[in-house]
């Protein structure tokens, strides 16, 4: 079937099922094009909690659909590709986190939303890349366990005197961006600010003019008067950047910045999910309730 006719069939089925299509900023262009909402992890969680739709079609990776199920248990959450996981989220499990907590009694756990529901259930407060600094600053305690992203943890630790016990997780996609690649591009395009995601290695973030979440990047490149930018995050972000700023140029810092999991979901997968109402992601109540506490505590922090 032709791309346009699949897209119209999806739109018709979304209406019929009273469904909303949420897509992460890293999704394929043609998926972002038909989404009701595109956004970063924080924006999509908030939308999942607020929507009136009966069905949420989550175009992203597994932990994001779990977050939607935690926040909106009465809704049917579809993840068109059940095999779309996040290797960083898989680097921590509930059992190992419990062991670390036992080694640091009374120390609160801050968990990046890129984590399983079971890990969130062992957590005091969640964070995303958009609010991690505020979340950590909101804690009265002087030390904390930060999991699973060591790079985000190191980045946040620069904004506070608190002591961090870092989990050694990382995003394999962002980790593939090397400082040498950034330095070479900076030399080639000296007028171009370099903006990157805090999941990048600290050696890369140190070279950045600005470090922020994916949504933060859209604002940065729109508000900054520069005519071109070097972009240090997953390639999917370029679609909306170019659409919103057609007169500007965006240079991906490395061709390796492609997350295979974020690229799995095709229009055909979305259509099939809406036709069959499968695969459903549903978090069991005994995990959902404590995980929701950690997400709610994060969502109570005012946004900028
Ligand atoms: P944000 O969209 O929250 O910036 O996160 C990036 C990411 O890696 C999601 O998997
Ligand atoms: Fe996970 Fe990194 Fe892919 Fe995001 S980009 S889903 S953190 S592997």
């Amino acid at each position: 079937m032709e791309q346009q006719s699949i897209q119209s069939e999806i739109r018709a089925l979304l209406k019929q099922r009273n469904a909303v299509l949420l897509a992460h900023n890293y999704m394929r262009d043609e998926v972002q094009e038909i989404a009701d909402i595109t956004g970063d992890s924080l924006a999509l969680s908030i939308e999942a909690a607020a929507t009136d739709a009966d069905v949420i079609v989550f175009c992203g990776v597994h932990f994001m659909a779990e977050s939607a199920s935690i926040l909106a248990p009465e809704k049917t959450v579809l993840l068109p590709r059940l095999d779309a996981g996040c290797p960083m989220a898989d680097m921590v499990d509930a059992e190992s986190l419990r062991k670390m907590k036992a080694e640091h009694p009374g120390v609160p756990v801050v968990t990046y939303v890129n984590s399983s529901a079971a890990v969130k259930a062992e957590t005091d407060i969640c964070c995303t890349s958009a609010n991690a600094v505020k979340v950590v600053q909101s804690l009265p305690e002087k030390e904390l366990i930060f999991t699973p992203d060591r790079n985000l943890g190191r980045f946040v630790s620069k904004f506070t005197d608190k002591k961090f016990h870092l989990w050694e997780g990382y995003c394999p996609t962002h980790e593939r961006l090397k400082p040498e690649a950034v330095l070479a591009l900076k030399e080639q395009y000296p007028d171009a600010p370099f903006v990157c995601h805090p999941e990048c290695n600290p050696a890369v973030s140190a070279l950045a003019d600005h470090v922020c979440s994916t949504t933060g990047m859209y604002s940065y490149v729109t508000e900054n008067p520069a005519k071109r930018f070097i972009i240090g995050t997953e390639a999917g972000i370029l679609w909306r950047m170019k659409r919103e700023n057609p007169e500007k140029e965006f240079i991906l810092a490395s061709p390796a910045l492609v997350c295979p999991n974020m690229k799995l979901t095709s229009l055909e997968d979305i259509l099939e999910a809406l036709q069959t109402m499968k695969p459903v992601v549903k978090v069991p109540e005994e995990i959902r309730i404590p995980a929701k506490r950690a997400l709610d505590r994060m969502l109570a922090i005012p946004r900028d």
Side-chain angles (χ1 to χ4, degrees):
M1 217 191 295
E2 226 180 79
Q3 184 166 304
Q4 258 183 328
S5 61
I6 306 185
Q7 286 178 323
S8 358
E9 212 169 311
I10 291 172
R11 293 291 342 155
L13 265 175
L14 284 166
K15 206 165 167 195
Q16 201 179 312
R17 304 264 194 219
N18 189 24
V20 66
L21 186 76
L22 306 184
H24 189 266
N25 294 326
Y26 295 161
M27 286 281 108
R28 295 184 191 188
D29 298 357
E30 65 273 21
V31 172
Q32 293 193 47
E33 202 172 67
I34 53 156
D36 292 296
I37 315 264
T38 56
D40 63 7
S41 310
L42 179 59
L44 296 179
S45 304
I46 292 169
E47 192 53 39
T51 180
D52 289 332
D54 297 316
V55 178
I56 298 171
V57 184
F58 216 117
C59 297
V61 291
H62 193 264
F63 74 80
M64 297 179 178
E66 277 192 332
S67 292
S69 165
I70 292 166
L71 293 170
E74 71 293 355
K75 299 191 168 89
T76 303
V77 180
L78 299 173
L79 179 68
R81 286 291 294 253
L82 209 48
D83 53 344
C86 169
M88 169 158 62
D90 293 341
M91 288 177 192
V92 57
D93 61 81
E95 179 61 34
S96 324
L97 181 55
R98 275 195 291 272
K99 275 193 197 137
M100 190 167 182
K101 281 164 68 169
E103 286 162 22
H104 304 282
V107 174
V109 178
V110 178
T111 296
Y112 190 25
V113 287
N114 295 36
S115 53
S116 68
V119 165
K120 289 185 178 79
E122 292 291 332
T123 293
D124 293 278
I125 183 164
C126 289
C127 73
T128 73
S129 57
N131 63 15
V133 173
K134 275 190 173 183
V135 164
V136 166
Q137 285 171 345
S138 77
L139 296 172
E141 291 88 352
K142 294 218 166 351
E143 56 183 298
L144 58 122
I145 294 170
F146 192 95
T147 180
D149 188 2
R150 64 179 183 208
N151 292 344
L152 177 62
R154 286 203 181 100
F155 173 73
V156 175
S157 70
K158 290 194 289 191
F159 296 86
T160 162
D161 292 335
K162 294 180 198 283
K163 183 173 175 191
F164 278 58
H165 302 279
L166 290 175
W167 196 270
E168 282 297 318
Y170 60 91
C171 163
T173 298
H174 285 87
E175 196 70 37
R176 282 196 290 274
L177 176 58
K178 303 293 174 209
E180 300 77 46
V182 177
L183 287 169
L185 284 171
K186 277 172 124 345
E187 204 173 300
Q188 197 179 346
Y189 305 104
D191 58 324
F194 170 54
V195 50
C196 79
H197 196 276
E199 285 176 18
C200 289
N201 190 279
V204 168
S205 300
L207 300 172
D209 296 281
H210 191 54
V211 181
C212 59
S213 74
T214 51
T215 295
M217 278 188 207
Y218 294 121
S219 322
Y220 180 78
V221 301
T222 301
E223 284 156 22
N224 191 300
K227 285 284 165 238
R228 56 181 160 205
F229 298 84
I230 304 166
I231 305 296
T233 195
E234 211 277 343
I237 197 156
L238 298 180
W239 177 76
R240 199 171 121 198
M241 269 182 187
K242 287 180 188 156
R243 202 188 50 169
E244 290 175 355
N245 305 276
E247 74 296 356
K248 295 187 178 181
E249 189 188 347
F250 301 102
I251 302 145
L252 193 65
S254 160
L257 282 166
V258 176
C259 171
N261 289 282
M262 285 285 188
K263 293 294 169 278
L264 281 177
T265 310
S266 67
L267 291 175
E268 286 81 0
D269 295 324
I270 299 170
L271 182 59
E272 196 181 327
L274 277 162
Q275 284 164 338
T276 60
M277 292 297 280
K278 280 196 290 221
V280 170
V281 170
K282 180 117 186 99
V283 176
E285 280 301 280
E286 67 277 16
I287 291 178
R288 190 186 76 81
I289 307 261
K292 184 169 186 295
R293 214 173 291 138
L295 279 171
D296 281 345
R297 194 169 162 193
M298 168 187 89
L299 293 171
I301 293 180
R303 289 214 276 170
D304 291 327

